[in-house]
Amino acid sequence: MERFTPAQLEEAACRVAARHEPGRVRAALVAGSGINLAAPGWEKSAEIPYVEIFPFPILSLPGHTPTLSVWRRGPEGLLVFNGRFHLYQGYAAAETAAIPRLAGLLGAPVYLATNATGAIDPAIAPGSLVVVRDHLNLQGTNPLIGEWGRWRPPLFPDMSEAYDRTLRAAALRYARAVGFAANEGVYAGVLGPSFETPAEIEMLRRAGATVVGMSTVQEVIAARHLGMRVLVLSLATNLAAGVSESPLTHEEVLEVGAQAKGKLLDLVQRLLDELRSEAGP
Ligand code: HPA
């Protein structure tokens, strides 16, 4: 398959900017399994299928609607990406990073991602929220490999505080305010798509992971590379393998995601208002 190139990304960003006028973009939101974000208080000005944006094949999973919604409020814009690209679907690292890079080129200063995870820490009940404070990239790849490292400096971006401290504190406060049990934790990013074995979960626990999932870390690296502030909200949809006796299913992940949707929307709305007040009128 042909490689997705920096020139193709830049062309895609120019096309979206010219045709859909996202305005002064305040943030980009990316929604994971079963979590369909909307933006109350904002008006949707465009809904663009990914096939019209990205030059590689677009696959969809149950629970994912692959579109970019552009929301406007006066001169301000918000990019809501409904669905992401996963390595386990066969996408290259650069393709899984296409969303944050497009958002960055369209001017988004903040990259806010949600995802579904398995709880490694037994104290984290399904349905609770983990505000990611750090990650383990165990996916065996990196979105800065090859031409993408030459595209923009730095080739070796600092990852010592990849997850924005101020946004994390706000997220934790609002998560609890909207009724989530919420704590900070470390996200272990694995390749998937098989769920982990109990032995793998034990290894991840000893390595310091709080939750495990199959997405997001490539996106975070790419977003930090472009200097965006990053916030990742992980919904614990299940106890990880071996933490609970019961077998894991994708349906369970989608169901818990659907149940938490209202609270997650409420949380995102409050975070957007916080960003607005940070930026001033
Ligand atoms: N493991 C990996 N990814 C996941 C899980 C899990 O248990 N739950 C939701 N995404």
Side-chain angles (χ1 to χ4, degrees), residues 35-55:
I35 302 169
N36 295 313
L37 290 176
W42 297 67
E43 202 165 306
K44 198 193 283 188
S45 67
E47 175 101 31
I48 317 157
Y50 283 180
V51 288
E52 291 177 20
I53 303 173
F54 301 107

Side-chain angles (χ1 to χ4, degrees), residues 125-218:
S128 53
L129 199 82
V130 174
V131 177
V132 177
R133 89 176 138 74
D134 206 347
H135 73 224
L136 299 167
N137 176 9
L138 301 172
Q139 297 186 319
T141 189
N142 191 293
L144 298 177
I145 286 173
E147 61 204 315
W148 292 95
R150 292 186 292 277
W151 174 53
R152 296 267 165 113
L155 173 57
F156 304 105
D158 177 47
M159 287 286 142
S160 52
E161 198 164 309
Y163 297 83
D164 189 89
R165 196 178 280 275
T166 310
L167 294 178
R168 274 158 42 200
L172 204 53
R173 197 165 65 243
Y174 292 137
R176 290 174 179 154
V178 304
F180 275 115
N183 281 291
E184 285 198 338
V186 174
Y187 177 97
V190 297
L191 186 56
S194 52
F195 285 117
E196 302 69 40
T197 63
E200 287 164 347
I201 292 300
E202 175 60 12
M203 176 190 75
L204 296 175
R205 189 187 65 76
R206 291 191 206 190
T210 318
V211 289
V212 57
M214 305 172 192
S215 66
T216 319
V217 295
Q218 304 297 315

Side-chain angles (χ1 to χ4, degrees), residues 68-260:
L68 162 61
S69 327
V70 179
W71 297 76
R72 293 293 301 263
R73 182 158 70 180
E76 298 181 348
L78 184 65
L79 306 173
V80 180
F81 292 89
N82 306 291
R84 56 160 51 91
F85 305 111
H86 300 88
L87 292 168
Y88 66 72
Q89 292 173 293
Y91 288 109
E95 292 166 342
T96 67
I99 288 173
R101 284 176 170 149
L102 185 80
L105 293 189
L106 292 172
V110 171
Y111 189 72
L112 197 169
T114 69
N115 60 33
T117 55
I120 296 173
D121 179 344
I124 295 173
S128 53
L129 199 82
V130 174
V131 177
V132 177
R133 89 176 138 74
D134 206 347
H135 73 224
L136 299 167
N137 176 9
L138 301 172
Q139 297 186 319
T141 189
N142 191 293
L144 298 177
I145 286 173
E147 61 204 315
W148 292 95
R150 292 186 292 277
W151 174 53
R152 296 267 165 113
L155 173 57
F156 304 105
D158 177 47
M159 287 286 142
S160 52
E161 198 164 309
Y163 297 83
D164 189 89
R165 196 178 280 275
T166 310
L167 294 178
R168 274 158 42 200
L172 204 53
R173 197 165 65 243
Y174 292 137
R176 290 174 179 154
V178 304
F180 275 115
N183 281 291
E184 285 198 338
V186 174
Y187 177 97
V190 297
L191 186 56
S194 52
F195 285 117
E196 302 69 40
T197 63
E200 287 164 347
I201 292 300
E202 175 60 12
M203 176 190 75
L204 296 175
R205 189 187 65 76
R206 291 191 206 190
T210 318
V211 289
V212 57
M214 305 172 192
S215 66
T216 319
V217 295
Q218 304 297 315
E219 296 168 26
V220 170
I221 293 166
R224 289 301 300 145
H225 175 240
L226 293 181
M228 300 163 86
R229 296 168 69 199
V230 169
L231 177 67
V232 174
L233 306 174
S234 283
L235 180 70
T237 53
N238 55 280
L239 293 171
V243 180
S244 124
E245 296 294 308
S246 47
L248 307 184
T249 65
H250 185 57
E251 287 66 35
E252 178 187 8
V253 170
L254 293 180
E255 196 180 310
V256 176
Q259 284 163 7

